[in-house]
């Protein structure tokens, strides 16, 4: 579908109107105490990074109602009624007011049984390299950063959700390119290992938290923000 010339001429006015309506709704919400929390997050973040932090939130604020919406793209916080949006973004894409939670370091991870057979980085050419479709270039980026030749860098099994690829890595199906924030729990539990700890690359992205322009303020808000960091 394409806008007509009249539609193109009217578009800025409608955008301004919807943004103004969203701002008014956000302003109304900001006058009420924080009783419900609505978070938008990338599916992998919602599944792998948020759970521990939400558990801390529930312990600290047991009456708080928490909702999480998994989204592939960040919402428009000028219009959509989320309190926080948590996504990955490059420094160029990052909104000016975003809070950077951590950089996105990437490195291979696998089950301990698989790691036992990986004595040198070159051994990765003999195992399945699990692929996440969202970050399809991870292996190539890491390979170039590490100076390795991996002919199988782009030919492994592919998964539409990072959490699926992670579960397959835990099950011993191959080696996954780990994103530090998303594999931290599995590494801490010992279900995954990093076989080459001296070969870590920067993906060029950052894990960020964004709030609406009229974010709700007050002691409860600051407590929530602190527990989400």
């Amino acid at each position: 579908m394409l806008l007509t010339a009249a539609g193109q001429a009217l578009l800025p006015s409608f955008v301004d109107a919807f943004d103004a309506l969203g701002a008014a709704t956000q302003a109304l919400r900001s006058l009420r105490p924080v009783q419900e929390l609505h978070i938008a997050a990338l599916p992998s973040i919602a599944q792998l990074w948020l759970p521990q932090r939400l558990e801390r939130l529930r312990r600290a604020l047991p009456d708080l109602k928490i909702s999480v919406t998994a989204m592939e793209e960040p919402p428009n916080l000028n219009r959509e009624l989320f309190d926080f949006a948590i996504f990955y973004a490059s420094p160029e894409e990052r909104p000016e007011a975003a809070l950077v939670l951590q950089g996105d370091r990437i490195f291979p991870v696998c089950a301990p049984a698989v790691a036992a057979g990986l004595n040198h980085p070159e051994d990765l050419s003999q195992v399945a390299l699990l692929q996440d479709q969202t970050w399809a270039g991870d292996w190539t980026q890491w390979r170039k950063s590490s100076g390795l030749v991996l002919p199988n860098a782009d030919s492994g099994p592919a998964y539409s959700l990072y959490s699926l690829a992670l579960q397959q890595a835990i099950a011993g199906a191959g080696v996954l390119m780990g994103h530090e924030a998303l594999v931290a729990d599995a590494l801490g539990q010992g279900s995954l290992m990093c076989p080459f700890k001296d070969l870590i690359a920067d993906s060029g992205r950052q894990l960020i938290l964004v709030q609406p322009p009229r974010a709700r303020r007050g002691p409860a808000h600051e407590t929530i923000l602190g527990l989400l960091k």
Side-chain angles (χ1 to χ4, degrees):
M1 295 179 63
L2 295 175
L3 287 175
T4 62
Q8 290 282 3
L10 290 171
L11 180 61
S13 297
F14 277 100
V15 169
D16 290 343
F18 281 115
D19 284 346
L21 179 61
T25 306
Q26 292 283 11
L28 180 62
R29 291 179 77 234
S30 69
L31 299 176
R32 297 198 294 261
V34 181
Q35 297 174 325
E36 298 183 4
L37 184 69
H38 300 270
I39 300 173
L42 193 70
S44 55
I45 294 171
Q47 294 166 318
L48 301 170
W49 184 86
L50 265 180
Q52 276 197 359
R53 289 157 179 83
L54 296 185
E55 183 179 349
R56 295 202 300 262
L57 267 178
R58 284 190 289 268
R59 289 199 303 265
L61 301 167
D63 294 329
L64 183 67
K65 297 179 182 179
I66 305 172
S67 300
V68 178
T69 300
M71 308 173 69
E72 292 293 344
E73 297 293 336
N76 181 343
L77 294 181
N78 289 319
R79 301 178 191 170
E80 299 184 58
L81 298 181
F82 292 106
D83 296 289
F84 300 102
I86 307 174
F87 286 80
Y88 282 103
S90 67
E92 296 76 24
E93 299 168 330
R94 185 185 71 220
E96 186 175 344
L99 174 65
V100 178
L101 299 173
Q102 67 181 84
D104 183 32
R105 302 198 307 167
I106 57 174
F107 43 85
V109 295
C110 59
V114 176
L118 299 174
N119 298 310
H120 306 285
E122 290 76 13
D123 294 337
L124 290 168
S125 62
Q126 306 302 317
V127 298
L129 303 184
L130 308 182
Q131 312 284 328
D132 171 68
Q133 293 177 358
T134 301
W135 296 306
D138 277 357
W139 276 106
T140 297
Q141 183 177 5
W142 179 83
R143 175 188 64 77
K144 291 178 179 178
S145 174
S146 304
L148 297 174
V149 175
L150 290 178
N152 57 334
D154 301 316
S155 61
Y159 301 88
S160 61
L161 291 174
Y162 190 82
S163 58
L164 293 177
L166 184 75
Q167 289 303 315
Q168 288 302 301
I170 291 173
V175 183
L176 175 67
M177 186 54 59
H179 291 255
E180 187 172 29
L182 304 181
V183 300
D185 287 350
L187 291 173
Q189 295 162 3
S191 55
L192 286 178
M193 295 181 63
C194 173
F196 309 112
K197 295 181 179 179
D198 56 338
L199 295 177
I200 295 176
D202 184 345
S203 76
R205 293 179 290 266
Q206 298 167 329
L207 181 62
I208 64 169
L209 182 149
V210 186
Q211 303 177 71
R214 293 177 177 267
R216 292 184 281 181
R217 304 296 179 184
H221 176 275
E222 296 307 318
T223 298
I224 292 167
L225 186 58
L227 291 171
L228 284 176
K229 291 181 181 178

